[in-house]
Amino acid sequence: MFFKGIKREEKFVRRADLIGRFPELNRKRFRGYNILDPEDHTGIVPELFRSIHGHHQEKFLPLADILARYHLQLLDDHSFFTRYKYKLHIRFIDERTFRELEEVPYQSVRYTDKLYEKLYLRMHILWHNILFESFLVYGSRLENYYILKEWGKGYILLFKIPRQEEWLVMGQFYEKELLIEVANQFCCFIRQLNFKTQNYYLVEHLLLDPECEKPEHPYTISVILPWWSKAVYGREKFEHILRERLPAHLEIHVRWLKVKPFYRFEQLYYAWRRALPTQDEKRIRELSGKLKMVLKEAF
């Protein structure tokens, strides 16, 4: 259920790691976090999902800060294909060319942070310091990459978004073996980036109306997470685990946000968290109102 789409060896490693962390996770099961401490984001739900995927993040960072480590900007698909489509290498492949395409063979890759430095020199899209949302959904799957041989020019690595006409040229190589190696490394990097950017936020609606004597939604919480998380697990799986881990009396609203509203939510959320300990009622009311609007629009 948790490890669909990954190789058998990696599946065993992740399963063993998760089982080894169960005692620690169970001890933290009923632990909350200090809402008045803007740096405290240690909730059991995010930590559980990170453990499932074998990713242990030492510090909880907003999306923009995570991407800044790689000097990357994440765009929504529409912005990418309207503003950057003709600046990058994007092709329409004739149907007669399909018979010349080869699938990229799988190679085992061990991820390190130095991997990105090598990829930056090889992958065209990284030269522009941008990625688009669908990369975080489909870019970690090797079956979406193909090899096209150009006679006398070497080999081209192509990326195809399912149900899209465009083929993105990821890089050109003289050696087929190097193309296969880089393609597997890039898939590994995108997979890790997906895990790192899967930020989960739990917002109690009661906290957005602190002065209300009879709050409209006293037992409602909203769970906010990025839309591209569906690349790792479906909505039904996520919500099943979530409801299993949260108290039964709560009404849970799950919001899957695209990149623009997710950026907006994080900006407001962190500003709201920083305002809470200041007891600046005017500022808190302002930010609470804006957060409620974002949650309402995403419902």
Side-chain angles (χ1 to χ4, degrees), residues 22-33:
F22 270 157
E24 179 187 355
L25 292 171
N26 284 328
R27 281 195 301 270
K28 295 180 179 180
R29 181 169 183 175
F30 300 105
R31 180 189 180 277
Y33 61 89

Side-chain angles (χ1 to χ4, degrees), residues 58 222 224 233 258:
E58 296 180 0
S222 285
I224 296 88
Y233 43 76
K258 292 271 193 170

Side-chain angles (χ1 to χ4, degrees), residues 160-215:
K160 177 71 165 63
I161 302 174
R163 299 179 297 278
Q164 292 275 2
E165 294 182 349
E166 293 89 351
W167 293 70
L168 185 63
V169 176
M170 302 298 297
Q172 294 176 290
F173 303 82
Y174 289 111
E175 300 176 3
K176 186 176 180 180
E177 292 75 15
L178 180 60
L179 180 151
I180 295 171
E181 178 184 350
V182 171
N184 278 273
Q185 290 174 345
F186 187 72
C187 280
C188 181
F189 166 71
I190 293 296
R191 191 178 303 116
Q192 290 296 321
L193 187 62
N194 190 314
F195 295 155
K196 290 180 179 180
T197 57
Q198 286 183 23
N199 289 346
Y200 311 104
Y201 297 93
L202 277 71
V203 178
E204 297 180 57
H205 288 225
L206 183 63
L207 296 174
L208 300 177
D209 294 298
E211 299 177 357
C212 184
E213 294 182 1
K214 294 183 179 180

